[in-house]
Amino acid sequence: MTTHAHNLPNVASRLKDATGIALVSLLLGVPMIGLKTVDAGGALAIATRWPWLLAFVATMFVGRLVLQFVLDHVKLNKAKRARTRPEIGATRPWLKWIGYGVVGFALVLPIAFSGNRYVVDTATTVLIYVMLGWGLNVVVGLAGLLDLGYVAFYAVGAYTYGLLSTHFGWGFWETLPVAGAAAATFGVILGWPTLRLRGDYLAIVTLGFGEIIRLILVNWTDFSGGPNGIGSIPRPTFFGLPFSPDSDAGPTFASFFHLEYSPEHRVMFLYYLILVLALLTNLFVSRMRKLPVGLAWEAVREDEVACKALGMNVTNVKLSAFAIGAMLGGFAGVFFAARQGFISPESFVFSESATILAIVVLGGMGSQLGVVIASVLLVLLPELGRDFSEYRMLMFGAAMILIMVWRPGGLIAHREPTYRLAKKGAQA
Amino acid sequence: MMGQFIQQLINGLTLGSVYGLIALGYTMVYGIIGMINFAHGDIYMISAIIAVTVLTLLGSLGIMAVPVALLITLVVAIVFTSVYGWSVERIAYRPLRNASRLAPLISAIGMSIFLQNMVQLTQGARVKPINALLPGGFELFTSNGFTVHLAYTQIMIIAVTAVLLVVFTYLITKTSFGRQQRACEQDRTMTALLGINVDRTISMTFVIGAALAAVAGVMVTVYYGVVDFSIGFVAGIKAFTAAVLGGIGSLPGAMLGGLIIGMIESFWSAYLSPEYKDVATFVLLILVLMFRPSGLLGRPEVEKV
């Protein structure tokens, strides 16, 4: 109560603060909002938008006042904000139940929305990002390696399927392990020379690697089709039964099960396919965490020097995390190529890597559930903004900043070690 | 062949100066708060857009004298761009000062996306061409039918970069702000205990970084004559690569890295294939880091336990 009473007379200082913000907004706004260069018959001419600028500055002024007012009343706990890495041992069993709930919801979603193809399609996109997020989580969340070029492995997977299926007629299921192996190989090729680098050097090297892969795909036209990409990639089949209207070539999915042909079958099949792949990824990763190599990932993340001192081969530990993360990215890439039926280097740009990394970090590093929540958020946000599509990427960027500032440790900050020493006396 | 070589040397030096100036901003910020300021490339882009606006405005007012127009553009671009640099730090990085290493990186990426789209929305997505402010140049010599050109804009870029480097070196090594800045790089807690306003020093670092990027933005606008909202990303990545190549945190290293990358780009484009010039840059980066994990001029980091 005392702090509250203390804060009330500060109206003058609040106004001063808001005036400062308005002044800065004015400076920010003049060159971008106030003035605009427009094309006037070949040469540029200046157009002014002073009313907009005024509105912007006024909004910032009022917004700052409101924000301060709200912050005063919420009494934002500074100490709580600063603690971005939660204490080890903060167990939250209810998270597990939320996880089961989410899986249950994912299972019934296509049935609940069976008439709505758009919802199922969007959910499929969400699940691709969930799978990519879980893959990258191995590298970033568990092993603590900053990878800014994860999309390269996604691209390797997608192009492996695209090339093998269009040139050699390989099917989805045969290609899956090959593409995973190819992506993992690329992971090792990149990781072997570079993994001894410190965090941020590794970040720029992985970023460069992602760009190298993309530039090769763009420029090596004979191999990858260049900027035009690869088209008419065959869709996955249900154990050999294609999702097509009745054909002479053999039984289709619809005719085999005596169903009426509907294009929705394929949409739902793709959804369940990525759901199964994603759940297998989750199972695989959570099992890996309990193996010695998985424990080693977390140990290296927490203290690399101590691990070295204990005689661990840190490079091999990191390399295994890198290869497994790459392999999972490759799997997701195969699915992506099979779903789209068309791939081009456009799909594998840096902003895609940034989005996947944002999903991992926004979700809370190392948290499997956090990845799901962040994927839903980051995929749905631009989708919801489709009506005013010009602003969606603007809002996307702003949301990334706001979520990070609001919860620096991620939405579900999770730092539960897989194994812990038993407490004294309480022998487990 | 000599002519071709000299020409590429000049082009590379010009391009390298621009990369070097942007790289200084990256390396300063990295040195003081240990984060990759992903939005720095977009700060440079904003400066280029502002330069287009100012030059158009000056043209419509009838101020055409080259030195005057250039000086006004530089000053205006530096002022407004610095405000952007300051605001970016204040909004996206300062609240995350004590967070884990990845949190500011993500908000920086968010800021970069935000700035790019903000400019696209407010200034339009079309490429903005301006009239050549400083056309022409010297013809140095001709050998084997190849004439080596040295454009006035190239002289301007190299000269302005050189002057700026002298001022900047003086600022960092001799002034009290420079001492505070270097102290913060070494130990922020200790510096704060000595009564230095660490937050303000960090803000100033962002302002100076943005000012250097602003100069680079103005010069690129004058040099190429076309600008759009997406130039920040590629330039930012190249400049960051330059900073890492030279050893991140090292100021001479950033400039050296910028020059090396400028040279590789122009020589690779001229003698080999322009399509793969960026691949060459990144491959060189990986090779250098394999043998010198702290960059060319970086000090190897000793980890204390």
Side-chain angles (χ1 to χ4, degrees), chain A residues 27-28 32 35 37 39 44 49 146 196 200-201 204 207 215 219 305 350 365 393 404, chain B residues 30 80 84 96 102-103 117 122-123 126 128-129 233 237 240 248 275 278 290 303:
Chain A
L27 282 176
L28 291 176
M32 288 298 145
L35 297 168
T37 46
D39 203 5
L44 288 179
R49 290 178 292 198
L146 183 47
R196 63 204 182 93
D200 300 286
Y201 287 89
I204 187 70
L207 198 164
L215 288 166
N219 289 313
V305 179
F350 168 72
M365 286 199 298
M393 284 315 283
M404 225 58 266
Chain B
Y30 189 88
F80 284 106
Y84 270 93
L96 297 172
L102 278 174
N117 286 281
T122 58
Q123 297 292 313
R126 307 259 304 262
K128 296 186 179 298
F233 174 68
I237 286 196
F240 183 59
I248 195 150
E275 296 89 29
D278 294 351
M290 271 169 70
E303 253 180 278

mmCIF file of all heavy atoms in Angstrom, chain A residues 27-28 32 35 37 39 44 49 146 196 200-201 204 207 215 219 305 350 365 393 404, chain B residues 30 80 84 96 102-103 117 122-123 126 128-129 233 237 240 248 275 278 290 303:
data_model
loop_
_atom_site.group_PDB
_atom_site.id
_atom_site.type_symbol
_atom_site.label_atom_id
_atom_site.label_comp_id
_atom_site.label_asym_id
_atom_site.label_seq_id
_atom_site.Cartn_x
_atom_site.Cartn_y
_atom_site.Cartn_z
ATOM 1 N N LEU A 27 11.156 11.976 -33.547
ATOM 2 C CA LEU A 27 12.400 11.821 -34.300
ATOM 3 C C LEU A 27 12.377 10.542 -35.135
ATOM 4 O O LEU A 27 12.858 10.504 -36.265
ATOM 5 C CB LEU A 27 13.600 11.791 -33.344
ATOM 6 C CG LEU A 27 14.047 13.145 -32.809
ATOM 7 C CD1 LEU A 27 15.160 12.978 -31.797
ATOM 8 C CD2 LEU A 27 14.518 14.027 -33.954
ATOM 9 N N LEU A 28 11.821 9.471 -34.559
ATOM 10 C CA LEU A 28 11.748 8.214 -35.294
ATOM 11 C C LEU A 28 10.774 8.337 -36.454
ATOM 12 O O LEU A 28 10.978 7.760 -37.521
ATOM 13 C CB LEU A 28 11.279 7.079 -34.373
ATOM 14 C CG LEU A 28 12.223 6.613 -33.280
ATOM 15 C CD1 LEU A 28 11.538 5.559 -32.428
ATOM 16 C CD2 LEU A 28 13.492 6.039 -33.861
ATOM 17 N N MET A 32 10.352 8.387 -41.483
ATOM 18 C CA MET A 32 9.664 7.201 -41.984
ATOM 19 C C MET A 32 8.182 7.453 -42.233
ATOM 20 O O MET A 32 7.628 7.015 -43.224
ATOM 21 C CB MET A 32 9.819 6.041 -40.989
ATOM 22 C CG MET A 32 11.214 5.464 -40.966
ATOM 23 S SD MET A 32 11.661 4.775 -42.561
ATOM 24 C CE MET A 32 13.400 5.153 -42.610
ATOM 25 N N LEU A 35 7.692 11.806 -43.804
ATOM 26 C CA LEU A 35 8.128 12.027 -45.181
ATOM 27 C C LEU A 35 8.135 10.707 -45.924
ATOM 28 O O LEU A 35 8.421 9.662 -45.354
ATOM 29 C CB LEU A 35 9.551 12.622 -45.191
ATOM 30 C CG LEU A 35 9.705 13.985 -44.543
ATOM 31 C CD1 LEU A 35 11.170 14.303 -44.372
ATOM 32 C CD2 LEU A 35 9.032 15.048 -45.383
ATOM 33 N N THR A 37 9.178 9.169 -49.979
ATOM 34 C CA THR A 37 9.542 9.446 -51.357
ATOM 35 C C THR A 37 8.634 8.630 -52.257
ATOM 36 O O THR A 37 8.466 7.435 -52.055
ATOM 37 C CB THR A 37 11.003 9.074 -51.632
ATOM 38 O OG1 THR A 37 11.248 7.786 -51.080
ATOM 39 C CG2 THR A 37 11.945 10.065 -51.026
ATOM 40 N N ASP A 39 7.305 7.769 -56.377
ATOM 41 C CA ASP A 39 7.717 7.765 -57.764
ATOM 42 C C ASP A 39 6.849 8.768 -58.529
ATOM 43 O O ASP A 39 5.633 8.627 -58.582
ATOM 44 C CB ASP A 39 7.512 6.348 -58.314
ATOM 45 C CG ASP A 39 8.404 6.112 -59.505
ATOM 46 O OD1 ASP A 39 9.213 7.007 -59.801
ATOM 47 O OD2 ASP A 39 8.288 5.053 -60.119
ATOM 48 N N LEU A 44 12.080 10.757 -58.209
ATOM 49 C CA LEU A 44 11.398 10.678 -56.921
ATOM 50 C C LEU A 44 10.898 12.057 -56.518
ATOM 51 O O LEU A 44 11.489 13.065 -56.854
ATOM 52 C CB LEU A 44 12.350 10.161 -55.851
ATOM 53 C CG LEU A 44 12.724 8.684 -55.933
ATOM 54 C CD1 LEU A 44 13.700 8.345 -54.822
ATOM 55 C CD2 LEU A 44 11.501 7.810 -55.830
ATOM 56 N N ARG A 49 3.138 13.289 -44.815
ATOM 57 C CA ARG A 49 1.981 12.686 -44.139
ATOM 58 C C ARG A 49 1.949 13.177 -42.700
ATOM 59 O O ARG A 49 2.054 12.394 -41.766
ATOM 60 C CB ARG A 49 2.114 11.156 -44.158
ATOM 61 C CG ARG A 49 1.932 10.560 -45.520
ATOM 62 C CD ARG A 49 2.121 9.082 -45.494
ATOM 63 N NE ARG A 49 3.502 8.735 -45.213
ATOM 64 C CZ ARG A 49 4.034 7.524 -45.458
ATOM 65 N NH1 ARG A 49 3.298 6.568 -45.953
ATOM 66 N NH2 ARG A 49 5.293 7.288 -45.174
ATOM 67 N N LEU A 146 24.313 -22.965 -30.642
ATOM 68 C CA LEU A 146 23.480 -22.004 -31.362
ATOM 69 C C LEU A 146 23.581 -22.274 -32.856
ATOM 70 O O LEU A 146 24.636 -22.120 -33.443
ATOM 71 C CB LEU A 146 23.931 -20.583 -31.029
ATOM 72 C CG LEU A 146 23.118 -19.465 -31.639
ATOM 73 C CD1 LEU A 146 21.649 -19.704 -31.447
ATOM 74 C CD2 LEU A 146 23.510 -18.166 -30.994
ATOM 75 N N ARG A 196 34.299 -26.989 -32.470
ATOM 76 C CA ARG A 196 35.116 -26.561 -31.335
ATOM 77 C C ARG A 196 35.059 -25.047 -31.170
ATOM 78 O O ARG A 196 35.630 -24.495 -30.237
ATOM 79 C CB ARG A 196 36.555 -27.049 -31.499
ATOM 80 C CG ARG A 196 37.235 -26.470 -32.685
ATOM 81 C CD ARG A 196 38.380 -27.337 -33.163
ATOM 82 N NE ARG A 196 39.037 -26.712 -34.293
ATOM 83 C CZ ARG A 196 40.090 -25.907 -34.157
ATOM 84 N NH1 ARG A 196 40.580 -25.656 -32.974
ATOM 85 N NH2 ARG A 196 40.639 -25.368 -35.219
ATOM 86 N N ASP A 200 29.142 -17.965 -30.449
ATOM 87 C CA ASP A 200 28.704 -17.060 -31.493
ATOM 88 C C ASP A 200 29.459 -17.244 -32.789
ATOM 89 O O ASP A 200 28.951 -16.951 -33.853
ATOM 90 C CB ASP A 200 28.825 -15.630 -30.994
ATOM 91 C CG ASP A 200 27.959 -15.442 -29.777
ATOM 92 O OD1 ASP A 200 26.749 -15.386 -29.947
ATOM 93 O OD2 ASP A 200 28.500 -15.412 -28.663
ATOM 94 N N TYR A 201 30.677 -17.764 -32.697
ATOM 95 C CA TYR A 201 31.387 -18.107 -33.918
ATOM 96 C C TYR A 201 30.661 -19.255 -34.599
ATOM 97 O O TYR A 201 30.493 -19.274 -35.814
ATOM 98 C CB TYR A 201 32.823 -18.526 -33.600
ATOM 99 C CG TYR A 201 33.695 -17.377 -33.200
ATOM 100 C CD1 TYR A 201 33.806 -16.979 -31.877
ATOM 101 C CD2 TYR A 201 34.408 -16.681 -34.148
ATOM 102 C CE1 TYR A 201 34.595 -15.916 -31.513
ATOM 103 C CE2 TYR A 201 35.211 -15.611 -33.805
ATOM 104 C CZ TYR A 201 35.299 -15.235 -32.478
ATOM 105 O OH TYR A 201 36.079 -14.181 -32.131
ATOM 106 N N ILE A 204 27.562 -17.903 -36.529
ATOM 107 C CA ILE A 204 27.760 -17.299 -37.844
ATOM 108 C C ILE A 204 28.189 -18.348 -38.857
ATOM 109 O O ILE A 204 27.820 -18.292 -40.031
ATOM 110 C CB ILE A 204 28.757 -16.108 -37.784
ATOM 111 C CG1 ILE A 204 28.812 -15.376 -39.126
ATOM 112 C CG2 ILE A 204 30.139 -16.532 -37.413
ATOM 113 C CD1 ILE A 204 27.595 -14.609 -39.465
ATOM 114 N N LEU A 207 25.103 -20.085 -39.906
ATOM 115 C CA LEU A 207 24.360 -19.168 -40.781
ATOM 116 C C LEU A 207 24.958 -19.184 -42.180
ATOM 117 O O LEU A 207 24.251 -19.290 -43.189
ATOM 118 C CB LEU A 207 24.424 -17.753 -40.194
ATOM 119 C CG LEU A 207 23.417 -16.717 -40.658
ATOM 120 C CD1 LEU A 207 23.402 -15.554 -39.698
ATOM 121 C CD2 LEU A 207 23.676 -16.221 -42.037
ATOM 122 N N LEU A 215 22.473 -20.985 -51.747
ATOM 123 C CA LEU A 215 23.044 -20.406 -52.969
ATOM 124 C C LEU A 215 23.381 -21.492 -53.987
ATOM 125 O O LEU A 215 23.222 -21.300 -55.186
ATOM 126 C CB LEU A 215 24.297 -19.588 -52.619
ATOM 127 C CG LEU A 215 24.010 -18.277 -51.907
ATOM 128 C CD1 LEU A 215 25.275 -17.692 -51.306
ATOM 129 C CD2 LEU A 215 23.396 -17.279 -52.882
ATOM 130 N N ASN A 219 21.893 -21.650 -57.724
ATOM 131 C CA ASN A 219 22.757 -21.449 -58.884
ATOM 132 C C ASN A 219 23.083 -22.716 -59.665
ATOM 133 O O ASN A 219 23.412 -22.645 -60.838
ATOM 134 C CB ASN A 219 24.069 -20.793 -58.433
ATOM 135 C CG ASN A 219 23.835 -19.356 -58.031
ATOM 136 O OD1 ASN A 219 23.178 -18.615 -58.734
ATOM 137 N ND2 ASN A 219 24.337 -18.980 -56.865
ATOM 138 N N VAL A 305 33.673 -26.917 -19.703
ATOM 139 C CA VAL A 305 35.016 -27.110 -19.166
ATOM 140 C C VAL A 305 35.038 -28.299 -18.202
ATOM 141 O O VAL A 305 35.943 -29.146 -18.242
ATOM 142 C CB VAL A 305 35.486 -25.821 -18.463
ATOM 143 C CG1 VAL A 305 36.857 -26.024 -17.879
ATOM 144 C CG2 VAL A 305 35.508 -24.674 -19.449
ATOM 145 N N PHE A 350 16.944 -17.720 -44.814
ATOM 146 C CA PHE A 350 17.366 -17.543 -43.422
ATOM 147 C C PHE A 350 16.190 -17.300 -42.488
ATOM 148 O O PHE A 350 16.183 -17.786 -41.355
ATOM 149 C CB PHE A 350 18.366 -16.386 -43.322
ATOM 150 C CG PHE A 350 18.624 -15.961 -41.912
ATOM 151 C CD1 PHE A 350 19.372 -16.770 -41.077
ATOM 152 C CD2 PHE A 350 18.089 -14.794 -41.406
ATOM 153 C CE1 PHE A 350 19.592 -16.413 -39.768
ATOM 154 C CE2 PHE A 350 18.303 -14.431 -40.099
ATOM 155 C CZ PHE A 350 19.064 -15.237 -39.284
ATOM 156 N N MET A 365 13.755 -23.021 -23.869
ATOM 157 C CA MET A 365 14.705 -23.986 -24.386
ATOM 158 C C MET A 365 14.649 -25.303 -23.627
ATOM 159 O O MET A 365 14.620 -25.321 -22.408
ATOM 160 C CB MET A 365 16.091 -23.408 -24.314
ATOM 161 C CG MET A 365 16.299 -22.367 -25.372
ATOM 162 S SD MET A 365 18.006 -22.111 -25.619
ATOM 163 C CE MET A 365 18.458 -21.533 -24.020
ATOM 164 N N MET A 393 3.814 -9.506 -41.136
ATOM 165 C CA MET A 393 5.213 -9.719 -40.757
ATOM 166 C C MET A 393 5.662 -8.670 -39.740
ATOM 167 O O MET A 393 6.499 -8.933 -38.881
ATOM 168 C CB MET A 393 6.120 -9.683 -41.986
ATOM 169 C CG MET A 393 6.072 -10.929 -42.830
ATOM 170 S SD MET A 393 6.148 -12.455 -41.865
ATOM 171 C CE MET A 393 7.897 -12.508 -41.464
ATOM 172 N N MET A 404 9.703 -12.022 -25.939
ATOM 173 C CA MET A 404 11.037 -12.188 -25.342
ATOM 174 C C MET A 404 11.222 -11.244 -24.161
ATOM 175 O O MET A 404 11.773 -11.630 -23.129
ATOM 176 C CB MET A 404 12.083 -11.894 -26.419
ATOM 177 C CG MET A 404 13.226 -12.840 -26.506
ATOM 178 S SD MET A 404 12.853 -14.565 -26.781
ATOM 179 C CE MET A 404 12.794 -15.249 -25.192
ATOM 180 N N TYR B 30 29.103 -6.296 -29.811
ATOM 181 C CA TYR B 30 29.454 -7.620 -29.305
ATOM 182 C C TYR B 30 30.453 -7.499 -28.165
ATOM 183 O O TYR B 30 30.341 -8.170 -27.141
ATOM 184 C CB TYR B 30 30.045 -8.498 -30.410
ATOM 185 C CG TYR B 30 30.201 -9.910 -29.939
ATOM 186 C CD1 TYR B 30 29.154 -10.801 -30.075
ATOM 187 C CD2 TYR B 30 31.359 -10.335 -29.295
ATOM 188 C CE1 TYR B 30 29.255 -12.078 -29.595
ATOM 189 C CE2 TYR B 30 31.471 -11.614 -28.810
ATOM 190 C CZ TYR B 30 30.410 -12.483 -28.967
ATOM 191 O OH TYR B 30 30.507 -13.752 -28.475
ATOM 192 N N PHE B 80 19.203 11.001 -37.356
ATOM 193 C CA PHE B 80 17.995 10.170 -37.264
ATOM 194 C C PHE B 80 18.332 8.701 -37.072
ATOM 195 O O PHE B 80 17.687 8.001 -36.304
ATOM 196 C CB PHE B 80 17.122 10.378 -38.513
ATOM 197 C CG PHE B 80 16.375 11.672 -38.490
ATOM 198 C CD1 PHE B 80 16.756 12.732 -39.291
ATOM 199 C CD2 PHE B 80 15.286 11.827 -37.643
ATOM 200 C CE1 PHE B 80 16.068 13.929 -39.256
ATOM 201 C CE2 PHE B 80 14.594 13.031 -37.605
ATOM 202 C CZ PHE B 80 14.990 14.076 -38.413
ATOM 203 N N TYR B 84 17.393 5.819 -34.090
ATOM 204 C CA TYR B 84 16.932 4.439 -34.294
ATOM 205 C C TYR B 84 17.816 3.460 -33.521
ATOM 206 O O TYR B 84 17.319 2.547 -32.862
ATOM 207 C CB TYR B 84 16.895 4.093 -35.788
ATOM 208 C CG TYR B 84 15.562 4.413 -36.404
ATOM 209 C CD1 TYR B 84 15.333 5.640 -37.004
ATOM 210 C CD2 TYR B 84 14.523 3.516 -36.337
ATOM 211 C CE1 TYR B 84 14.105 5.955 -37.541
ATOM 212 C CE2 TYR B 84 13.277 3.817 -36.867
ATOM 213 C CZ TYR B 84 13.077 5.034 -37.458
ATOM 214 O OH TYR B 84 11.847 5.332 -37.966
ATOM 215 N N LEU B 96 16.534 -7.110 -21.538
ATOM 216 C CA LEU B 96 17.052 -8.479 -21.528
ATOM 217 C C LEU B 96 18.513 -8.532 -21.108
ATOM 218 O O LEU B 96 19.208 -9.498 -21.396
ATOM 219 C CB LEU B 96 16.903 -9.091 -22.924
ATOM 220 C CG LEU B 96 15.460 -9.228 -23.387
ATOM 221 C CD1 LEU B 96 15.392 -9.644 -24.831
ATOM 222 C CD2 LEU B 96 14.738 -10.242 -22.524
ATOM 223 N N LEU B 102 20.523 -16.287 -25.516
ATOM 224 C CA LEU B 102 19.685 -16.421 -26.703
ATOM 225 C C LEU B 102 18.533 -15.432 -26.728
ATOM 226 O O LEU B 102 18.049 -15.090 -27.796
ATOM 227 C CB LEU B 102 19.136 -17.842 -26.783
ATOM 228 C CG LEU B 102 20.103 -18.851 -27.382
ATOM 229 C CD1 LEU B 102 19.531 -20.234 -27.285
ATOM 230 C CD2 LEU B 102 20.388 -18.505 -28.819
ATOM 231 N N ALA B 103 18.091 -14.974 -25.551
ATOM 232 C CA ALA B 103 16.921 -14.096 -25.517
ATOM 233 C C ALA B 103 17.138 -12.814 -26.320
ATOM 234 O O ALA B 103 16.314 -12.479 -27.178
ATOM 235 C CB ALA B 103 16.522 -13.810 -24.082
ATOM 236 N N ASN B 117 9.970 -4.587 -42.287
ATOM 237 C CA ASN B 117 8.584 -4.485 -42.722
ATOM 238 C C ASN B 117 8.020 -3.105 -42.480
ATOM 239 O O ASN B 117 7.156 -2.645 -43.217
ATOM 240 C CB ASN B 117 7.738 -5.558 -42.037
ATOM 241 C CG ASN B 117 8.005 -6.903 -42.634
ATOM 242 O OD1 ASN B 117 7.496 -7.232 -43.686
ATOM 243 N ND2 ASN B 117 8.857 -7.678 -41.994
ATOM 244 N N THR B 122 5.972 1.831 -44.767
ATOM 245 C CA THR B 122 5.883 3.288 -44.762
ATOM 246 C C THR B 122 6.506 3.906 -46.008
ATOM 247 O O THR B 122 6.063 4.960 -46.448
ATOM 248 C CB THR B 122 6.561 3.892 -43.521
ATOM 249 O OG1 THR B 122 7.922 3.475 -43.508
ATOM 250 C CG2 THR B 122 5.891 3.445 -42.251
ATOM 251 N N GLN B 123 7.537 3.275 -46.561
ATOM 252 C CA GLN B 123 8.229 3.886 -47.692
ATOM 253 C C GLN B 123 7.966 3.167 -49.009
ATOM 254 O O GLN B 123 8.454 3.587 -50.047
ATOM 255 C CB GLN B 123 9.740 3.921 -47.427
ATOM 256 C CG GLN B 123 10.123 4.763 -46.229
ATOM 257 C CD GLN B 123 9.861 6.237 -46.466
ATOM 258 O OE1 GLN B 123 10.213 6.789 -47.495
ATOM 259 N NE2 GLN B 123 9.229 6.892 -45.507
ATOM 260 N N ARG B 126 9.023 -0.579 -53.564
ATOM 261 C CA ARG B 126 9.747 -0.386 -54.821
ATOM 262 C C ARG B 126 11.177 0.074 -54.571
ATOM 263 O O ARG B 126 11.475 0.739 -53.581
ATOM 264 C CB ARG B 126 9.031 0.672 -55.656
ATOM 265 C CG ARG B 126 7.571 0.419 -55.868
ATOM 266 C CD ARG B 126 7.217 -0.160 -57.213
ATOM 267 N NE ARG B 126 7.674 0.613 -58.356
ATOM 268 C CZ ARG B 126 6.884 1.470 -59.007
ATOM 269 N NH1 ARG B 126 5.685 1.733 -58.569
ATOM 270 N NH2 ARG B 126 7.317 2.072 -60.086
ATOM 271 N N LYS B 128 14.225 2.416 -54.912
ATOM 272 C CA LYS B 128 14.257 3.867 -55.016
ATOM 273 C C LYS B 128 15.525 4.323 -55.725
ATOM 274 O O LYS B 128 16.615 4.194 -55.189
ATOM 275 C CB LYS B 128 14.212 4.488 -53.615
ATOM 276 C CG LYS B 128 12.913 4.197 -52.891
ATOM 277 C CD LYS B 128 12.842 4.925 -51.584
ATOM 278 C CE LYS B 128 11.534 4.639 -50.878
ATOM 279 N NZ LYS B 128 10.373 5.100 -51.658
ATOM 280 N N PRO B 129 15.391 4.864 -56.942
ATOM 281 C CA PRO B 129 16.578 5.360 -57.635
ATOM 282 C C PRO B 129 16.773 6.860 -57.381
ATOM 283 O O PRO B 129 15.801 7.598 -57.260
ATOM 284 C CB PRO B 129 16.226 5.119 -59.104
ATOM 285 C CG PRO B 129 14.727 5.203 -59.152
ATOM 286 C CD PRO B 129 14.191 4.974 -57.766
ATOM 287 N N PHE B 233 19.676 -6.857 -44.950
ATOM 288 C CA PHE B 233 19.954 -8.231 -44.524
ATOM 289 C C PHE B 233 21.298 -8.731 -45.049
ATOM 290 O O PHE B 233 22.158 -9.164 -44.280
ATOM 291 C CB PHE B 233 18.814 -9.148 -44.970
ATOM 292 C CG PHE B 233 19.082 -10.585 -44.701
ATOM 293 C CD1 PHE B 233 19.135 -11.044 -43.394
ATOM 294 C CD2 PHE B 233 19.314 -11.476 -45.728
ATOM 295 C CE1 PHE B 233 19.414 -12.380 -43.135
ATOM 296 C CE2 PHE B 233 19.584 -12.804 -45.475
ATOM 297 C CZ PHE B 233 19.637 -13.262 -44.182
ATOM 298 N N ILE B 237 24.696 -9.414 -42.893
ATOM 299 C CA ILE B 237 25.359 -10.716 -42.763
ATOM 300 C C ILE B 237 26.810 -10.631 -43.193
ATOM 301 O O ILE B 237 27.707 -11.159 -42.534
ATOM 302 C CB ILE B 237 24.605 -11.772 -43.601
ATOM 303 C CG1 ILE B 237 23.306 -12.119 -42.899
ATOM 304 C CG2 ILE B 237 25.438 -13.013 -43.790
ATOM 305 C CD1 ILE B 237 22.692 -13.372 -43.385
ATOM 306 N N PHE B 240 28.707 -8.784 -40.546
ATOM 307 C CA PHE B 240 28.912 -9.602 -39.357
ATOM 308 C C PHE B 240 29.978 -10.660 -39.620
ATOM 309 O O PHE B 240 30.830 -10.928 -38.761
ATOM 310 C CB PHE B 240 27.599 -10.248 -38.911
ATOM 311 C CG PHE B 240 27.763 -11.041 -37.665
ATOM 312 C CD1 PHE B 240 28.218 -10.440 -36.509
ATOM 313 C CD2 PHE B 240 27.512 -12.396 -37.645
ATOM 314 C CE1 PHE B 240 28.405 -11.163 -35.358
ATOM 315 C CE2 PHE B 240 27.695 -13.135 -36.495
ATOM 316 C CZ PHE B 240 28.143 -12.516 -35.350
ATOM 317 N N ILE B 248 35.894 -11.146 -33.471
ATOM 318 C CA ILE B 248 34.825 -10.281 -32.984
ATOM 319 C C ILE B 248 35.232 -9.636 -31.659
ATOM 320 O O ILE B 248 35.853 -10.262 -30.806
ATOM 321 C CB ILE B 248 33.485 -11.036 -32.891
ATOM 322 C CG1 ILE B 248 32.346 -10.044 -32.754
ATOM 323 C CG2 ILE B 248 33.470 -12.064 -31.785
ATOM 324 C CD1 ILE B 248 31.064 -10.536 -33.341
ATOM 325 N N GLU B 275 27.941 -15.539 -59.296
ATOM 326 C CA GLU B 275 26.879 -16.232 -58.551
ATOM 327 C C GLU B 275 27.402 -16.803 -57.242
ATOM 328 O O GLU B 275 26.689 -16.894 -56.258
ATOM 329 C CB GLU B 275 26.276 -17.376 -59.367
ATOM 330 C CG GLU B 275 25.566 -16.965 -60.637
ATOM 331 C CD GLU B 275 26.525 -16.913 -61.808
ATOM 332 O OE1 GLU B 275 27.520 -17.665 -61.795
ATOM 333 O OE2 GLU B 275 26.303 -16.099 -62.727
ATOM 334 N N ASP B 278 29.201 -15.119 -52.735
ATOM 335 C CA ASP B 278 28.839 -15.226 -51.316
ATOM 336 C C ASP B 278 29.268 -16.574 -50.749
ATOM 337 O O ASP B 278 29.687 -16.667 -49.598
ATOM 338 C CB ASP B 278 27.335 -15.044 -51.138
ATOM 339 C CG ASP B 278 26.908 -13.633 -51.498
ATOM 340 O OD1 ASP B 278 27.809 -12.797 -51.715
ATOM 341 O OD2 ASP B 278 25.699 -13.370 -51.572
ATOM 342 N N MET B 290 38.532 -22.415 -38.781
ATOM 343 C CA MET B 290 39.076 -23.738 -38.471
ATOM 344 C C MET B 290 40.502 -23.623 -37.944
ATOM 345 O O MET B 290 40.909 -24.365 -37.056
ATOM 346 C CB MET B 290 39.090 -24.610 -39.735
ATOM 347 C CG MET B 290 37.814 -25.382 -39.935
ATOM 348 S SD MET B 290 37.767 -26.104 -41.556
ATOM 349 C CE MET B 290 39.011 -27.358 -41.406
ATOM 350 N N GLU B 303 39.130 -19.438 -20.860
ATOM 351 C CA GLU B 303 37.978 -19.656 -19.996
ATOM 352 C C GLU B 303 38.451 -19.919 -18.579
ATOM 353 O O GLU B 303 39.241 -20.818 -18.329
ATOM 354 C CB GLU B 303 37.161 -20.838 -20.512
ATOM 355 C CG GLU B 303 35.870 -20.400 -21.150
ATOM 356 C CD GLU B 303 35.077 -21.583 -21.644
ATOM 357 O OE1 GLU B 303 35.384 -22.057 -22.747
ATOM 358 O OE2 GLU B 303 34.206 -22.030 -20.908
#
